[in-house]
């Protein structure tokens, strides 16, 4: 939910937030971020471990960053988001502040307060910014919606009990129900 205001916020406002306050800047509006649940945090940790191990074991050059990690999607200092998990394969996009440009893979874990944002606003934002792959992991509905933006605009919906393939890593498959044990 955006902070109530008629004004348009800038990246200076985003970077001036008080220590510990998390928000995202999208199209001139600041959106507060609610504290995550335990399941939310568990999934972020599991994804970070699995993706990191895969990259390391395959001598990959991509890097995995869990939230909070700032991503400036448009490289113009206008839209700052904090995806739950970001995978960046182009090192030149990494700065001291986070990532400048679109990550290759973004994973968002749906919370009751983020449902509309994850499925609507962020899906469009990530597609427009050039994110290659976007996963919406929905613990309440026990399914993952996967967009492979380079291939098709239509999503694939994978129940937690089935295996999902990570498109940017052709040999990596993840069964979400295994992550929640």
């Amino acid at each position: 939910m955006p902070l109530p205001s008629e004004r348009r916020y800038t990246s200076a406002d985003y970077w001036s937030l008080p220590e510990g306050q998390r928000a995202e800047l999208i199209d001139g509006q600041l959106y507060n971020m609610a504290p995550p649940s335990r399941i939310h945090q568990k999934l972020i940790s599991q994804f970070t471990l699995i993706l990191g191990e895969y990259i390391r074991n395959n001598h990959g050059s991509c890097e995995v960053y869990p939230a909070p990690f700032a991503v400036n999607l448009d490289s113009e200092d206008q839209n700052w988001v904090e995806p739950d998990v970001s995978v960046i394969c182009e090192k030149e996009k990494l700065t001291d502040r986070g990532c400048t440009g679109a990550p290759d893979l973004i994973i968002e874990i749906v919370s009751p307060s983020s449902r509309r944002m994850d499925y609507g606003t962020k899906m469009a934002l990530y597609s427009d910014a050039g994110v290659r792959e976007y996963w919406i992991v929905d613990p309440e509905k026990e399914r993952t919606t996967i967009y492979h933006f380079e291939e098709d605009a239509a999503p694939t919906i994978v129940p937690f009990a089935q295996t999902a393939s990570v498109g940017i890593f052709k040999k990596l498959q993840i069964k979400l129900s295994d992550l929640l044990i």
Side-chain angles (χ1 to χ4, degrees):
M1 172 177 297
L3 296 175
S5 175
E6 296 295 320
R7 91 179 249 228
R8 296 199 45 89
Y9 291 92
T10 67
S11 62
D13 297 312
Y14 172 79
W15 286 105
S16 297
L17 291 171
E19 183 77 27
Q21 181 178 351
R22 292 185 58 214
E24 294 178 306
L25 176 65
I26 300 174
D27 296 329
Q29 292 299 309
L30 281 173
Y31 294 85
N32 271 327
M33 299 176 74
S37 70
R38 182 187 63 81
I39 296 299
H40 191 275
Q41 288 302 97
K42 182 174 185 169
L43 287 168
I44 290 172
S45 296
Q46 293 294 319
F47 275 116
T48 302
L49 286 170
I50 290 168
L51 292 165
E53 280 182 18
Y54 180 86
I55 293 165
R56 192 171 29 267
N57 292 341
N58 290 279
H59 310 289
S61 61
C62 301
E63 294 189 22
V64 182
Y65 293 92
F69 179 73
V71 174
N72 179 216
L73 286 170
D74 53 19
S75 299
E76 295 176 5
D77 225 21
Q78 306 242 338
N79 290 312
W80 287 91
V81 293
E82 292 187 13
D84 291 319
V85 179
S86 301
V87 177
I88 297 101
C89 298
E90 298 172 54
K91 301 261 194 230
E92 62 273 5
K93 290 183 178 180
L94 297 172
T95 69
D96 287 342
R97 283 192 159 177
C99 176
T100 301
D104 295 270
L105 169 64
I106 287 179
I107 299 172
E108 294 283 9
I109 315 298
V110 176
S111 300
S113 64
S114 72
R115 182 168 299 285
R116 179 175 287 157
M117 183 71 79
D118 292 338
Y119 280 101
T121 305
K122 286 187 176 179
M123 188 279 299
L125 190 64
Y126 294 160
S127 175
D128 291 346
V131 172
R132 292 171 55 198
E133 186 170 352
Y134 175 41
W135 286 36
I136 305 170
V137 178
D138 195 328
E140 183 179 309
K141 296 187 183 221
E142 296 186 2
R143 70 180 187 202
T144 302
T145 304
I146 302 172
Y147 290 90
H148 297 279
F149 292 128
E150 292 178 317
E151 299 168 15
D152 192 355
T156 302
I157 298 173
V158 181
F160 278 14
Q162 294 179 8
T163 302
S165 297
V166 180
I168 67 167
F169 302 128
K170 298 298 180 195
K171 295 179 183 176
L172 179 58
Q173 297 189 339
I174 300 172
K175 188 174 182 181
L176 270 286
S177 60
D178 291 347
L179 303 184
L180 295 170
I181 295 173

